[in-house]
Amino acid sequence: MNFEGRKYVLIAAVLAIALIFVLRLFWIQVVDDQWKASAASMAERKITDYPARGFIYDRKGRLLVANTPVYDLMVVPREVKDFDTAAFAALISVPVEELKLRMTAARKYSIHKPSVIEKQITAEQFAAISVHLHSYAGVYGQSRTLRTYPPRVGGHMLGYLSEVDARKVAADPYYKAGDVIGVGGLEQYYEEQLRGRRGVRYVLVDVHNNIKGSFKEGRYDTLAVEGKDLHTGIDLDMQRLGEQLMQHKKGSIVALDPKTGEVLCLVSSPAYDPELLVGRVRNTNYGILQRDSIKPLFDRALQAQYPPGSIFKLVQSLVALDEGVINVNTSFACNKSLVGCHNHPTATSIEQAIQFSCNPYFYHVFDRIVERKLDKKSRFRDAALGLGEWEHRVRSFGLGEKPKIDLPSLKGGNIPGPAYYNRKYGEGRWAFSTIYSVSIGQGEVLTVPIQMANLAAIFANKGWYYDPHVVRAVGHPDSVQARYREKHIVEAAPQWFDHIQEGMRRVVAEAGGTARRARIEGITVCGKTGTAENPHGEDHAVFVCFAPMEDPQIAMAVYVENSGAGGRWAAPIASVLIEQYLTDTITRPEVVKELIETDLIAKEKFFRKKPKKPRRR
Amino acid sequence: MSARENVAANLDRPLLVMYLVLLFAGWANIYSAAYDPDHAGIFDLDKEYGKQAVWMAISLTLGSAILLVRGHLFRDWANGIYAVVIALLALVLLIGKEVNGAKAWFGVGSFGIQPAEFAKYATALALTRYLSGLKALIDFRSRVISTAIILFPVALIMLQPDTGTALVSGAFILVLYREGLSGNVLLLAILAAFLSILSLILKESSFDLPFTDRPLSGPLFLLMVIGLIAALAWLVVRNMVIKRLRKRLYGYIVVGVVSSAVFIGGVDYAFEKVLAQHQRDRILVMLGQMEDPQGLGYNVKQSQTAIGSGGFSGKGYLDGTLTKFKYVPMQSTDFIFCTVGEEWGFLGTAAVVILFTVLILRIIQISDRQRSRFTRIYAYCVASIFFLHLMINVGMTIGLAPVIGIPLPFFSYGGSSMIGFTLLLGTLIRLDAERLSQLR
Ligand SMILES: [Zn+2]
């Protein structure tokens, strides 16, 4: 039998089904409006809820960072009808050509999905625009928030917000292009706590984008989690005064509460107005600040490494006393052939050595620390042993490693131990004579200002410290961060600190002390000046202090670059700030005025381009 | 080498091109269905399109490899392949991974293999081999054997249970018909389908027995109507048919009534006892017996809404809004056609339907030009399988067929199905390429 003809049954069936399908599709998709209406009435939208970013407060509950609403103008190209481009361009003050380009780009991206045509319009401007929006179908405003800095201080410490870069988007699935992220400072360090967690809702909307209810009872929704507030230990008055005092100067101020390790003020100068890095002007201003020759973006308080200078003599004294290589009444002659010094009576006690800051004295002290005759055969090996013990003790003061402060990108300074010199000169090729400049805090020793402030706290506490930190509590003001409640004890017995403190008191209080300008009526200030050698110009001045001596409330380090001796500018600045913090008053307005007006970088500022002032809200 | 034996020169270009077009169009469509504008990386293996790209690479490799296999080997290995797939189907029941209530998967990491998707390939080969050895499918014994070849894997797949995939084997009825199965069988099948649909439609209704108040259930009512028709036919036969034929026609009427009664009872029993609740619901929805837009008809309504919203020219690639965010159920597998409809509109859906139609017609044409009986029957199997998939899958998304979970070839997400169809087509292209040199 031949069934050849039967193949036509299949062919006929295939053609019939194809025809039926095409007709049916034509009906559903082209003729019948029922399905389009159904689609419009049931369209589902994904709505992202951006939780408000947490605020940042000072120690008295005053706002350092808050949020302010702005609006983005969005366009859905398909919904645009009878669009008067010229009028609209005038309304939002954008050139017509530019607007046309943006509309083209929006259409190119998607005709169904909204695109931004103008970003970050202030609330006032948007109020003026929004009354006209009804005549521009397909355009609507979408609210967002920007950061605002009511006191306009602490730019370095607070950081700023920027759009995430592609690398971050690829690395962290939480972020998508266009999201903002904290950059630098607390905004970066506490990004996860501040931002909270974005929520997603699926809702049903009608043709007019009105929400008609949640989709499937919110089965696919995730709740947004509010960003947490940061409660810092910053004293706003002091921070503000500190920035004023430091204006027209390069340098930094770090003040700590020695009892808790909380940062009271953190000034890096030249500073910048944090409002400069908000919103539409951010990119322009960032470029200008970045190219500025006086480097306003550089956070000197955390990243500038200086030799500690004479202040290191305090650490040397403590190590030597604790090791027993000197006692409190050890006397060394001021032999200027060993190392330079100024004219002063011979120091017959450790207090006097500190008071006079005698260089040859500490040459001998460090000599005894390093050459302890622990190895009698080789002075090289002896030096390595002595220096090894010294390094261990000095590091216990929080030097030579990055502080555990809650801020990103900081430097750790350098404490050169045997390993360091072995790398530099080769093992057995260095001895005390090679490294003696370390004795007076020069040479390879480097510290950052925050470490110096912590050093002041250690002197104040007689031998212990908490890690310096800006944020006391995250979320609730009482939820103190546990990791900053770990006490560090340094390798020097408390009794030796009495002598150090006495020496520091004399530096400020006694005739011939180098920091007489730090005196405050009725408050015992302990301090020590230092000079960080600067091969490129005039030396940098340092002043480290704490007060009051009887019950220290504040410990501070003040750096003023290219200002010569520490007593001239750094000491009075510290004194004004201490008075402000302890008594909340300024009794020497003429001193404050002089300090504020002193311009140590006038020459450098001459050719600078000014950043664009942000529009005030 | 003569042109006759040059296999490469005889590869069917139109078929190859259509295969590649379907493969890449299918992937582009999956990409859109699973597209997440926030994270758009093409080869993200966490995403369906990333995995599908891997499956595509595997399919292309396998497809190329199969073109190198000498044609007669398919015939030689047909039963072996069949046996292996049967073994896999049995094995998956024992050690398979249960997904959505069906034990149908072998899991390899985040990739899964579904042996049922290879059953149609194996069955096609084994059936072809058996049928090509016959002159025609006319005696009882050969009908039983060929039915057994078809039903053996079907039974194993039903045990998973995966009704949709099992139903695809219905395509082989077309092959049997082509090879000589009586047209009456096809007619009977259609009649049976008609009867069962009718009895299911009437199932939920009840009728009052005429002249009384006694209610009568739907199937009984149907039987009564059939009885009335039979009585009418009896009268017609008695009065209007010559005596010589009457006895035989009476026989037909009796057999017809009795078998109808048994069949209706059988359908009722099968419906209540064999099918699961969700299958019962699907059938009822499909028959228009349950009208509930947010409930059971939901899938079909959502899918038609998505397709309908595409309009004439669609919303544009990646711009579909309904076929994202889980609005359409199973949007990247069974209902992938919705994405085509929403984003490419009528132009896209018509193009896909026409492309598949041309593909099937081309395969029938290829079947026609074979001297080898094996290749001819095999090609017919392939055409029938593609036809059934097209008919059911597209039919269900536009509300013309019940919701039966079978994939749209190369469009639905899933590696096993893609490999299965690649094997089907690859084998055909290789066999066809030898049409001038081989005679089997
Ligand atoms: Zn001296």
Side-chain angles (χ1 to χ4, degrees):
Chain A
M1 265 169 99
N2 185 2
F3 301 108
E4 192 59 32
R6 288 192 172 184
K7 74 169 190 225
Y8 294 109
V9 175
L10 182 59
I11 292 176
V14 171
L15 287 174
I17 289 291
L19 187 67
I20 291 170
F21 280 5
V22 170
L23 288 176
R24 170 75 178 171
L25 284 165
F26 189 75
W27 177 260
I28 295 181
Q29 297 189 282
V30 182
V31 181
D32 192 356
D33 280 339
Q34 174 199 345
W35 302 112
K36 278 170 221 59
S38 165
S41 70
M42 293 163 65
E44 169 208 332
R45 293 280 158 84
K46 179 181 173 183
I47 294 184
T48 309
D49 294 327
Y50 291 92
R53 203 173 168 88
F55 288 3
I56 303 179
Y57 296 96
D58 90 330
R59 68 188 298 113
K60 292 174 184 158
R62 291 170 292 193
L63 272 176
L64 296 175
V65 184
N67 297 324
T68 180
V70 289
Y71 293 82
D72 285 349
L73 275 184
M74 313 294 289
V75 63
V76 180
R78 195 172 64 159
E79 291 165 14
V80 170
K81 277 189 201 84
D82 311 321
F83 195 76
D84 184 344
T85 311
F88 189 69
L91 180 65
I92 64 170
S93 356
V94 167
V96 179
E97 290 310 309
E98 171 67 22
L99 180 64
K100 279 181 183 163
L101 285 179
R102 291 184 198 174
M103 293 294 280
T104 314
R107 262 191 301 276
K108 218 167 177 180
Y109 165 67
S110 165
I111 65 164
H112 301 272
K113 294 180 200 156
S115 305
V116 181
I117 40 170
E118 178 67 351
K119 273 186 186 176
Q120 297 165 10
I121 299 169
T122 65
E124 290 154 35
Q125 288 171 313
F126 184 72
I129 292 173
S130 64
V131 293
H132 300 289
L133 277 185
H134 63 91
S135 39
Y136 302 97
V139 179
Y140 64 95
Q142 181 171 295
S143 76
R144 313 201 299 135
T145 56
L146 286 183
R147 282 309 220 190
T148 181
Y149 305 84
R152 306 179 83 164
V153 296
H156 297 101
M157 166 180 66
L158 298 172
Y160 58 95
L161 296 187
S162 173
E163 279 187 19
V164 280
D165 57 18
R167 218 162 18 138
K168 183 72 184 170
V169 172
D172 186 342
Y174 179 85
Y175 296 97
K176 55 195 174 64
D179 277 357
V180 292
I181 190 170
V183 179
L186 297 177
E187 296 276 20
Q188 178 177 330
Y189 195 90
Y190 289 99
E191 164 70 11
E192 275 187 39
Q193 289 91 332
L194 283 169
R195 78 172 186 214
R197 192 142 199 101
R198 178 171 62 229
V200 173
R201 281 181 297 142
Y202 293 90
V203 294
L204 296 170
V205 294
D206 64 11
V207 246
H208 305 294
N209 263 344
N210 297 320
I211 294 173
K212 287 295 175 191
S214 68
F215 176 67
K216 296 217 168 163
E217 291 89 47
R219 200 183 304 166
Y220 302 108
D221 298 0
T222 50
L223 272 183
V225 178
E226 287 291 307
K228 291 196 175 109
D229 294 339
L230 300 185
H231 301 274
T232 67
I234 298 294
D235 183 287
L236 176 55
D237 299 322
M238 205 176 153
Q239 176 77 25
R240 189 186 277 132
L241 180 59
E243 290 191 14
Q244 281 174 353
L245 292 169
M246 287 302 289
Q247 70 180 350
H248 314 309
K249 304 161 195 75
K250 286 189 196 172
S252 57
I253 303 173
V254 183
L256 302 173
D257 177 346
K259 293 189 162 57
T260 61
E262 283 167 18
V263 175
L264 299 173
C265 86
L266 194 55
V267 176
S268 172
S269 188
Y272 62 89
D273 179 354
E275 292 281 353
L276 290 175
L277 295 183
V278 175
R280 289 190 285 188
V281 291
R282 185 186 62 237
N283 284 341
T284 328
N285 283 342
Y286 188 84
I288 295 168
L289 291 172
Q290 200 174 30
R291 287 188 298 273
D292 195 329
S293 58
I294 60 169
K295 296 188 184 156
L297 291 177
F298 180 53
D299 189 348
R300 289 175 162 78
L302 301 181
Q303 294 174 22
Q305 305 188 98
Y306 309 91
S310 300
I311 291 154
F312 205 57
K313 291 168 185 166
L314 302 175
V315 179
Q316 300 288 40
S317 310
L318 286 163
V319 170
L321 287 169
D322 207 54
E323 284 187 348
V325 296
I326 59 166
N327 63 49
V328 293
N329 292 319
T330 300
S331 173
F332 291 110
C334 180
N335 180 353
K336 298 191 181 67
S337 67
L338 295 171
V339 53
C341 201
H342 54 102
N343 291 321
H344 60 84
T346 297
T348 55
S349 68
I350 196 73
E351 287 94 338
Q352 283 184 357
I354 292 168
Q355 183 186 351
F356 303 144
S357 198
C358 178
N359 288 341
Y361 187 99
F362 286 96
Y363 177 96
H364 288 295
V365 168
F366 191 50
D367 186 15
R368 287 199 181 175
I369 290 172
V370 173
E371 300 189 317
R372 292 177 60 188
K373 310 289 179 281
L374 295 170
D375 188 316
K376 303 222 163 46
K377 293 197 184 99
S378 157
R379 63 189 183 95
F380 299 110
R381 243 174 296 153
D382 184 40
L385 287 171
L387 193 71
E389 172 67 15
W390 171 85
E391 182 193 6
H392 168 70
R393 286 173 180 271
V394 172
R395 282 183 184 274
S396 78
F397 286 77
L399 302 177
E401 61 185 40
K402 285 185 184 178
K404 295 186 181 60
I405 192 171
D406 47 353
L407 288 169
S409 53
L410 54 151
K411 291 271 170 35
N414 186 41
I415 295 300
Y420 177 88
Y421 286 117
N422 284 344
R423 257 198 321 278
K424 188 171 177 183
Y425 298 114
E427 199 169 339
R429 310 190 65 168
W430 56 273
F432 174 74
S433 53
T434 327
I435 62 172
Y436 71 90
S437 55
V438 169
S439 60
I440 53 169
Q442 306 292 356
E444 294 87 354
V445 192
L446 289 174
T447 56
V448 289
I450 180 92
Q451 290 173 328
M452 295 299 263
N454 191 41
L455 213 48
I458 292 170
F459 301 147
N461 291 336
K462 300 188 181 176
W464 57 267
Y465 69 98
Y466 288 121
D467 282 317
H469 55 283
V470 179
V471 173
R472 182 181 53 207
V474 177
H476 193 275
D478 297 335
S479 59
V480 177
Q481 302 208 83
R483 65 199 167 108
Y484 289 123
R485 301 306 303 153
E486 190 194 331
K487 204 176 204 173
H488 303 282
I489 314 278
V490 304
E491 301 269 340
Q495 78 232 41
W496 311 124
F497 284 91
D498 294 334
H499 303 280
I500 299 302
Q501 289 195 350
E502 173 56 19
M504 289 175 78
R505 187 191 65 78
R506 291 185 195 173
V507 166
V508 176
E510 307 249 312
T514 52
R516 301 266 301 152
R517 288 163 66 99
R519 272 173 307 159
I520 304 169
E521 198 59 41
I523 299 173
T524 321
V525 176
C526 297
K528 179 80 190 77
T529 57
T531 307
E533 278 181 2
N534 175 19
H536 310 292
E538 202 170 346
D539 290 345
H540 306 317
V542 203
F543 183 62
V544 157
C545 60
F546 64 89
M549 187 186 190
E550 304 74 28
D551 177 25
Q553 306 285 326
I554 179 169
M556 188 169 5
V558 178
Y559 276 76
V560 184
E561 290 187 9
N562 316 115
S563 70
R568 180 67 191 90
W569 300 110
I573 287 174
S575 140
V576 168
L577 287 169
I578 289 172
E579 188 177 28
Q580 160 68 36
Y581 180 69
L582 293 180
T583 66
D584 212 10
T585 49
I586 293 171
T587 53
R588 294 162 291 170
E590 72 294 342
V591 175
V592 173
K593 187 161 179 287
E594 188 206 353
L595 288 169
I596 290 176
E597 285 171 358
T598 302
D599 192 339
L600 298 176
I601 49 173
K603 280 175 300 201
E604 285 186 67
K605 286 196 295 186
F606 190 68
F607 295 106
R608 289 166 60 221
K609 184 180 173 190
K610 274 267 164 53
K612 203 165 139 190
K613 279 287 159 200
R615 300 196 205 174
R616 296 303 301 148
R617 283 176 290 270
Chain B
M1 197 191 289
S2 74
R4 290 175 161 260
E5 280 156 6
N6 189 348
V7 169
N10 287 325
L11 291 179
D12 192 66
R13 296 282 139 72
L15 210 51
L16 262 180
V17 170
M18 279 189 279
Y19 166 72
L20 291 175
V21 168
L22 285 170
L23 201 63
F24 283 94
W27 182 83
N29 210 50
I30 290 278
Y31 180 74
S32 179
Y35 177 69
D36 179 351
D38 304 343
H39 295 105
I42 289 186
F43 296 109
D44 187 346
L45 285 190
D46 290 339
K47 291 277 191 297
E48 290 178 335
Y49 44 78
K51 286 187 197 160
Q52 194 76 344
V54 173
W55 287 122
M56 220 162 88
I58 295 172
S59 293
L60 285 170
T61 314
L62 262 178
S64 313
I66 216 157
L67 290 181
L68 302 174
V69 178
R70 295 187 72 83
H72 67 90
L73 290 177
F74 292 111
R75 185 192 159 86
D76 298 348
W77 293 345
N79 290 344
I81 293 172
Y82 185 74
V84 167
V85 170
I86 291 288
L88 286 177
L89 286 173
L91 199 64
V92 84
L93 290 175
L94 299 175
I95 61 161
K97 205 164 61 178
E98 191 163 320
V99 178
N100 295 333
K103 251 188 154 175
W105 297 84
F106 289 123
V108 185
S110 62
F111 290 83
I113 298 274
Q114 224 181 339
E117 288 294 339
F118 306 115
K120 45 194 166 236
Y121 178 62
T123 309
L125 283 175
L127 184 67
T128 303
R129 173 170 174 159
Y130 178 71
L131 291 177
S132 63
L134 303 172
K135 276 206 163 131
L137 189 63
I138 36 183
D139 60 304
F140 183 71
R141 184 188 136 83
S142 60
R143 284 180 192 177
V144 170
I145 291 177
S146 40
T147 310
I149 292 175
I150 297 167
L151 288 185
F152 195 15
V154 168
L156 287 171
I157 294 170
M158 288 292 275
L159 285 177
Q160 290 179 356
D162 181 356
T163 326
T165 309
L167 278 177
V168 173
S169 297
F172 293 112
I173 293 178
L174 291 168
V175 180
L176 297 182
Y177 170 70
R178 170 72 180 82
E179 293 309 311
L181 189 69
S182 163
N184 291 344
V185 176
L186 208 60
L187 263 180
L188 264 179
I190 291 169
L191 203 70
F194 180 72
L195 255 187
S196 23
I197 288 170
L198 212 60
S199 74
L200 290 175
I201 285 181
L202 298 177
K203 185 170 169 48
E204 301 297 312
S205 341
S206 65
F207 302 85
D208 287 344
L209 201 61
F211 317 116
T212 70
D213 284 341
R214 295 197 54 182
L216 204 58
S217 80
L220 276 178
F221 180 77
L222 187 62
L223 265 184
M224 212 179 76
V225 173
I226 291 173
L228 279 173
I229 293 171
L232 214 65
W234 185 283
L235 288 175
V236 171
V237 168
R238 206 180 75 176
N239 301 317
M240 299 167 74
V241 178
I242 52 168
K243 209 167 184 179
R244 183 162 57 84
L245 293 174
R246 272 186 211 158
K247 204 169 177 183
R248 201 170 149 194
L249 287 175
Y250 288 149
Y252 281 150
I253 290 170
V254 171
V255 169
V257 171
V258 171
S259 54
S260 297
V262 170
F263 185 76
I264 290 171
V267 167
D268 201 54
Y269 177 83
F271 187 79
E272 294 294 348
K273 298 281 149 70
V274 178
L275 294 187
Q277 183 61 43
H278 71 274
Q279 290 167 318
R280 277 199 289 273
D281 292 341
R282 274 182 187 179
I283 292 170
L284 292 179
V285 167
M286 152 64 189
L287 297 173
Q289 294 301 292
M290 293 175 88
E291 197 59 58
D292 179 8
Q294 285 299 321
L296 294 160
Y298 184 73
N299 290 1
V300 182
K301 187 168 174 356
Q302 301 295 88
S303 99
Q304 291 188 84
T305 302
I307 293 174
S309 73
F312 182 73
S313 55
K315 297 178 184 171
Y317 187 53
L318 301 182
D319 275 347
T321 49
L322 299 181
T323 47
K324 313 270 189 286
F325 319 131
K326 314 173 179 86
Y327 181 79
V328 172
M330 298 173 277
Q331 66 192 17
S332 61
T333 55
D334 294 352
F335 284 88
I336 189 70
F337 193 64
C338 298
T339 308
V340 181
E342 190 186 13
E343 298 191 342
W344 299 99
F346 174 70
L347 293 179
T349 53
V352 170
V353 169
I354 290 170
L355 187 58
F356 272 110
T357 307
V358 172
L359 176 84
I360 295 165
L361 293 178
R362 178 69 188 169
I363 297 171
I364 296 174
Q365 201 182 0
I366 286 173
S367 162
D368 243 12
R369 71 183 181 196
Q370 303 303 323
R371 285 186 288 171
S372 153
R373 206 170 139 73
F374 183 85
T375 310
R376 179 177 64 74
I377 297 174
Y378 177 75
Y380 208 81
C381 286
V382 177
S384 304
I385 290 167
F386 271 92
F387 175 54
L388 203 90
H389 274 271
L390 175 72
M391 187 167 72
I392 303 274
N393 182 283
V394 175
M396 88 180 166
T397 59
I398 56 179
L400 293 180
V403 178
I404 293 171
I406 63 170
L408 183 62
F410 307 119
F411 277 72
S412 292
Y413 169 71
S416 307
S417 125
M418 180 186 275
I419 292 171
F421 286 112
T422 300
L423 291 176
L424 274 175
L425 277 185
T427 305
L428 174 64
I429 293 173
R430 170 70 203 200
L431 287 170
D432 172 61
E434 294 180 19
R435 65 187 176 275
L436 300 174
S437 56
Q438 305 283 329
L439 189 62
R440 278 186 294 274

